[in-house]
PDB file of all heavy atoms in Angstrom:
ATOM      1  N   TRP J 109      15.298  -8.448  -2.722  1.00 96.00           N
ATOM      2  CA  TRP J 109      15.623  -7.959  -1.367  1.00 96.00           C
ATOM      3  C   TRP J 109      15.875  -9.087  -0.410  1.00 96.00           C
ATOM      4  O   TRP J 109      16.828  -9.060   0.362  1.00 96.00           O
ATOM      5  CB  TRP J 109      14.479  -7.070  -0.875  1.00 96.00           C
ATOM      6  CG  TRP J 109      14.626  -6.523   0.499  1.00 96.00           C
ATOM      7  CD1 TRP J 109      15.655  -5.748   0.951  1.00 96.00           C
ATOM      8  CD2 TRP J 109      13.722  -6.668   1.589  1.00 96.00           C
ATOM      9  NE1 TRP J 109      15.445  -5.392   2.289  1.00 96.00           N
ATOM     10  CE2 TRP J 109      14.266  -5.974   2.706  1.00 96.00           C
ATOM     11  CE3 TRP J 109      12.512  -7.317   1.760  1.00 96.00           C
ATOM     12  CZ2 TRP J 109      13.637  -5.897   3.942  1.00 96.00           C
ATOM     13  CZ3 TRP J 109      11.874  -7.237   2.992  1.00 96.00           C
ATOM     14  CH2 TRP J 109      12.444  -6.552   4.046  1.00 96.00           C
ATOM     15  N   GLU J 110      15.028 -10.124  -0.489  1.00 94.00           N
ATOM     16  CA  GLU J 110      15.192 -11.276   0.391  1.00 94.00           C
ATOM     17  C   GLU J 110      16.157 -12.312  -0.108  1.00 94.00           C
ATOM     18  O   GLU J 110      16.398 -13.327   0.517  1.00 94.00           O
ATOM     19  CB  GLU J 110      13.811 -11.909   0.620  1.00 94.00           C
ATOM     20  CG  GLU J 110      12.860 -10.983   1.370  1.00 94.00           C
ATOM     21  CD  GLU J 110      11.451 -11.531   1.442  1.00 94.00           C
ATOM     22  OE1 GLU J 110      11.083 -12.476   0.704  1.00 94.00           O
ATOM     23  OE2 GLU J 110      10.701 -11.022   2.317  1.00 94.00           O
ATOM     24  N   LYS J 111      16.739 -12.046  -1.324  1.00 92.00           N
ATOM     25  CA  LYS J 111      17.735 -12.948  -1.929  1.00 92.00           C
ATOM     26  C   LYS J 111      17.223 -14.371  -2.076  1.00 92.00           C
ATOM     27  O   LYS J 111      17.920 -15.320  -1.687  1.00 92.00           O
ATOM     28  CB  LYS J 111      19.041 -12.875  -1.134  1.00 92.00           C
ATOM     29  CG  LYS J 111      19.662 -11.466  -1.138  1.00 92.00           C
ATOM     30  CD  LYS J 111      20.884 -11.398  -0.278  1.00 92.00           C
ATOM     31  CE  LYS J 111      21.562 -10.063  -0.345  1.00 92.00           C
ATOM     32  NZ  LYS J 111      20.869  -8.943   0.159  1.00 92.00           N
ATOM     33  N   HIS J 112      16.046 -14.491  -2.656  1.00 87.00           N
ATOM     34  CA  HIS J 112      15.467 -15.809  -2.910  1.00 87.00           C
ATOM     35  C   HIS J 112      16.252 -16.538  -3.956  1.00 87.00           C
ATOM     36  O   HIS J 112      16.988 -15.942  -4.731  1.00 87.00           O
ATOM     37  CB  HIS J 112      14.012 -15.683  -3.379  1.00 87.00           C
ATOM     38  CG  HIS J 112      13.092 -15.285  -2.282  1.00 87.00           C
ATOM     39  ND1 HIS J 112      11.762 -15.105  -2.489  1.00 87.00           N
ATOM     40  CD2 HIS J 112      13.265 -15.034  -0.962  1.00 87.00           C
ATOM     41  CE1 HIS J 112      11.150 -14.743  -1.365  1.00 87.00           C
ATOM     42  NE2 HIS J 112      12.062 -14.708  -0.420  1.00 87.00           N
ATOM     43  N   ASP J 113      16.091 -17.845  -3.999  1.00 83.00           N
ATOM     44  CA  ASP J 113      16.767 -18.662  -5.037  1.00 83.00           C
ATOM     45  C   ASP J 113      16.165 -18.389  -6.409  1.00 83.00           C
ATOM     46  O   ASP J 113      16.850 -18.444  -7.409  1.00 83.00           O
ATOM     47  CB  ASP J 113      16.612 -20.150  -4.712  1.00 83.00           C
ATOM     48  CG  ASP J 113      17.400 -20.540  -3.467  1.00 83.00           C
ATOM     49  OD1 ASP J 113      18.393 -19.838  -3.116  1.00 83.00           O
ATOM     50  OD2 ASP J 113      17.034 -21.524  -2.802  1.00 83.00           O
ATOM     51  N   ILE J 114      14.862 -18.123  -6.456  1.00 82.00           N
ATOM     52  CA  ILE J 114      14.206 -17.873  -7.724  1.00 82.00           C
ATOM     53  C   ILE J 114      13.955 -16.347  -7.824  1.00 82.00           C
ATOM     54  O   ILE J 114      13.222 -15.792  -7.008  1.00 82.00           O
ATOM     55  CB  ILE J 114      12.866 -18.627  -7.831  1.00 82.00           C
ATOM     56  CG1 ILE J 114      13.148 -20.129  -7.802  1.00 82.00           C
ATOM     57  CG2 ILE J 114      12.130 -18.230  -9.116  1.00 82.00           C
ATOM     58  CD1 ILE J 114      11.905 -20.984  -7.715  1.00 82.00           C
ATOM     59  N   ILE J 115      14.562 -15.734  -8.809  1.00 89.00           N
ATOM     60  CA  ILE J 115      14.409 -14.302  -9.050  1.00 89.00           C
ATOM     61  C   ILE J 115      13.646 -14.149 -10.349  1.00 89.00           C
ATOM     62  O   ILE J 115      14.130 -14.542 -11.378  1.00 89.00           O
ATOM     63  CB  ILE J 115      15.785 -13.587  -9.142  1.00 89.00           C
ATOM     64  CG1 ILE J 115      16.639 -13.852  -7.902  1.00 89.00           C
ATOM     65  CG2 ILE J 115      15.580 -12.130  -9.419  1.00 89.00           C
ATOM     66  CD1 ILE J 115      16.105 -13.211  -6.618  1.00 89.00           C
ATOM     67  N   PRO J 116      12.437 -13.555 -10.315  1.00 89.00           N
ATOM     68  CA  PRO J 116      11.654 -13.447 -11.546  1.00 89.00           C
ATOM     69  C   PRO J 116      12.217 -12.419 -12.494  1.00 89.00           C
ATOM     70  O   PRO J 116      12.866 -11.451 -12.078  1.00 89.00           O
ATOM     71  CB  PRO J 116      10.286 -12.967 -11.021  1.00 89.00           C
ATOM     72  CG  PRO J 116      10.613 -12.259  -9.759  1.00 89.00           C
ATOM     73  CD  PRO J 116      11.748 -12.981  -9.147  1.00 89.00           C
ATOM     74  N   ASP J 117      12.019 -12.676 -13.786  1.00 92.00           N
ATOM     75  CA  ASP J 117      12.394 -11.701 -14.806  1.00 92.00           C
ATOM     76  C   ASP J 117      11.488 -10.499 -14.658  1.00 92.00           C
ATOM     77  O   ASP J 117      10.315 -10.612 -14.294  1.00 92.00           O
ATOM     78  CB  ASP J 117      12.201 -12.304 -16.213  1.00 92.00           C
ATOM     79  CG  ASP J 117      13.245 -13.358 -16.502  1.00 92.00           C
ATOM     80  OD1 ASP J 117      14.355 -13.333 -15.942  1.00 92.00           O
ATOM     81  OD2 ASP J 117      12.955 -14.247 -17.354  1.00 92.00           O
ATOM     82  N   THR J 118      12.053  -9.363 -14.957  1.00 93.00           N
ATOM     83  CA  THR J 118      11.246  -8.103 -14.939  1.00 93.00           C
ATOM     84  C   THR J 118      11.838  -7.114 -15.878  1.00 93.00           C
ATOM     85  O   THR J 118      13.064  -7.151 -16.168  1.00 93.00           O
ATOM     86  CB  THR J 118      11.173  -7.530 -13.524  1.00 93.00           C
ATOM     87  OG1 THR J 118      10.253  -6.428 -13.531  1.00 93.00           O
ATOM     88  CG2 THR J 118      12.519  -7.072 -13.008  1.00 93.00           C
ATOM     89  N   LYS J 119      11.017  -6.219 -16.378  1.00 95.00           N
ATOM     90  CA  LYS J 119      11.477  -5.124 -17.230  1.00 95.00           C
ATOM     91  C   LYS J 119      11.664  -3.852 -16.410  1.00 95.00           C
ATOM     92  O   LYS J 119      11.973  -2.819 -16.958  1.00 95.00           O
ATOM     93  CB  LYS J 119      10.528  -4.904 -18.391  1.00 95.00           C
ATOM     94  CG  LYS J 119      10.544  -6.064 -19.365  1.00 95.00           C
ATOM     95  CD  LYS J 119       9.616  -5.831 -20.534  1.00 95.00           C
ATOM     96  CE  LYS J 119       9.688  -7.060 -21.440  1.00 95.00           C
ATOM     97  NZ  LYS J 119       8.858  -6.944 -22.582  1.00 95.00           N
ATOM     98  N   ILE J 120      11.459  -3.959 -15.086  1.00 96.00           N
ATOM     99  CA  ILE J 120      11.650  -2.790 -14.222  1.00 96.00           C
ATOM    100  C   ILE J 120      13.131  -2.474 -14.191  1.00 96.00           C
ATOM    101  O   ILE J 120      13.937  -3.377 -13.906  1.00 96.00           O
ATOM    102  CB  ILE J 120      11.111  -3.073 -12.826  1.00 96.00           C
ATOM    103  CG1 ILE J 120       9.595  -3.398 -12.877  1.00 96.00           C
ATOM    104  CG2 ILE J 120      11.374  -1.869 -11.881  1.00 96.00           C
ATOM    105  CD1 ILE J 120       9.048  -3.952 -11.598  1.00 96.00           C
ATOM    106  N   PRO J 121      13.517  -1.248 -14.457  1.00 96.00           N
ATOM    107  CA  PRO J 121      14.930  -0.906 -14.455  1.00 96.00           C
ATOM    108  C   PRO J 121      15.645  -1.240 -13.131  1.00 96.00           C
ATOM    109  O   PRO J 121      15.072  -1.022 -12.055  1.00 96.00           O
ATOM    110  CB  PRO J 121      14.964   0.599 -14.713  1.00 96.00           C
ATOM    111  CG  PRO J 121      13.646   0.877 -15.410  1.00 96.00           C
ATOM    112  CD  PRO J 121      12.679  -0.078 -14.818  1.00 96.00           C
ATOM    113  N   PRO J 122      16.881  -1.756 -13.208  1.00 95.00           N
ATOM    114  CA  PRO J 122      17.605  -2.099 -11.974  1.00 95.00           C
ATOM    115  C   PRO J 122      17.721  -0.925 -10.989  1.00 95.00           C
ATOM    116  O   PRO J 122      17.695  -1.140  -9.761  1.00 95.00           O
ATOM    117  CB  PRO J 122      18.977  -2.512 -12.508  1.00 95.00           C
ATOM    118  CG  PRO J 122      18.738  -2.986 -13.905  1.00 95.00           C
ATOM    119  CD  PRO J 122      17.598  -2.116 -14.400  1.00 95.00           C
ATOM    120  N   ALA J 123      17.843   0.310 -11.509  1.00 96.00           N
ATOM    121  CA  ALA J 123      17.944   1.446 -10.569  1.00 96.00           C
ATOM    122  C   ALA J 123      16.660   1.611  -9.771  1.00 96.00           C
ATOM    123  O   ALA J 123      16.699   1.952  -8.586  1.00 96.00           O
ATOM    124  CB  ALA J 123      18.232   2.718 -11.370  1.00 96.00           C
ATOM    125  N   ASP J 124      15.498   1.346 -10.392  1.00 96.00           N
ATOM    126  CA  ASP J 124      14.224   1.446  -9.691  1.00 96.00           C
ATOM    127  C   ASP J 124      14.117   0.329  -8.638  1.00 96.00           C
ATOM    128  O   ASP J 124      13.698   0.593  -7.497  1.00 96.00           O
ATOM    129  CB  ASP J 124      13.048   1.324 -10.656  1.00 96.00           C
ATOM    130  CG  ASP J 124      12.879   2.563 -11.520  1.00 96.00           C
ATOM    131  OD1 ASP J 124      13.462   3.635 -11.182  1.00 96.00           O
ATOM    132  OD2 ASP J 124      12.170   2.500 -12.560  1.00 96.00           O
ATOM    133  N   ILE J 125      14.559  -0.861  -9.006  1.00 96.00           N
ATOM    134  CA  ILE J 125      14.526  -2.002  -8.043  1.00 96.00           C
ATOM    135  C   ILE J 125      15.431  -1.646  -6.872  1.00 96.00           C
ATOM    136  O   ILE J 125      15.054  -1.846  -5.705  1.00 96.00           O
ATOM    137  CB  ILE J 125      14.980  -3.311  -8.709  1.00 96.00           C
ATOM    138  CG1 ILE J 125      13.953  -3.760  -9.777  1.00 96.00           C
ATOM    139  CG2 ILE J 125      15.203  -4.395  -7.660  1.00 96.00           C
ATOM    140  CD1 ILE J 125      12.659  -4.314  -9.266  1.00 96.00           C
ATOM    141  N   ALA J 126      16.607  -1.106  -7.117  1.00 97.00           N
ATOM    142  CA  ALA J 126      17.544  -0.739  -6.062  1.00 97.00           C
ATOM    143  C   ALA J 126      16.932   0.285  -5.102  1.00 97.00           C
ATOM    144  O   ALA J 126      17.087   0.207  -3.901  1.00 97.00           O
ATOM    145  CB  ALA J 126      18.876  -0.247  -6.658  1.00 97.00           C
ATOM    146  N   ARG J 127      16.281   1.281  -5.694  1.00 97.00           N
ATOM    147  CA  ARG J 127      15.634   2.339  -4.867  1.00 97.00           C
ATOM    148  C   ARG J 127      14.527   1.747  -4.006  1.00 97.00           C
ATOM    149  O   ARG J 127      14.381   2.063  -2.823  1.00 97.00           O
ATOM    150  CB  ARG J 127      15.075   3.432  -5.791  1.00 97.00           C
ATOM    151  CG  ARG J 127      14.638   4.662  -5.022  1.00 97.00           C
ATOM    152  CD  ARG J 127      14.162   5.788  -5.984  1.00 97.00           C
ATOM    153  NE  ARG J 127      12.929   5.455  -6.702  1.00 97.00           N
ATOM    154  CZ  ARG J 127      12.842   5.109  -7.958  1.00 97.00           C
ATOM    155  NH1 ARG J 127      13.935   5.094  -8.732  1.00 97.00           N
ATOM    156  NH2 ARG J 127      11.691   4.831  -8.514  1.00 97.00           N
TER     157      ARG J 127
END
Side-chain angles (χ1 to χ4, degrees):
W109 178 56
E110 295 173 344
K111 298 176 177 63
H112 287 179
D113 292 335
I114 298 172
I115 304 293
D117 289 335
T118 186
K119 292 182 180 181
I120 300 169
D124 289 344
I125 295 286
R127 190 176 67 254

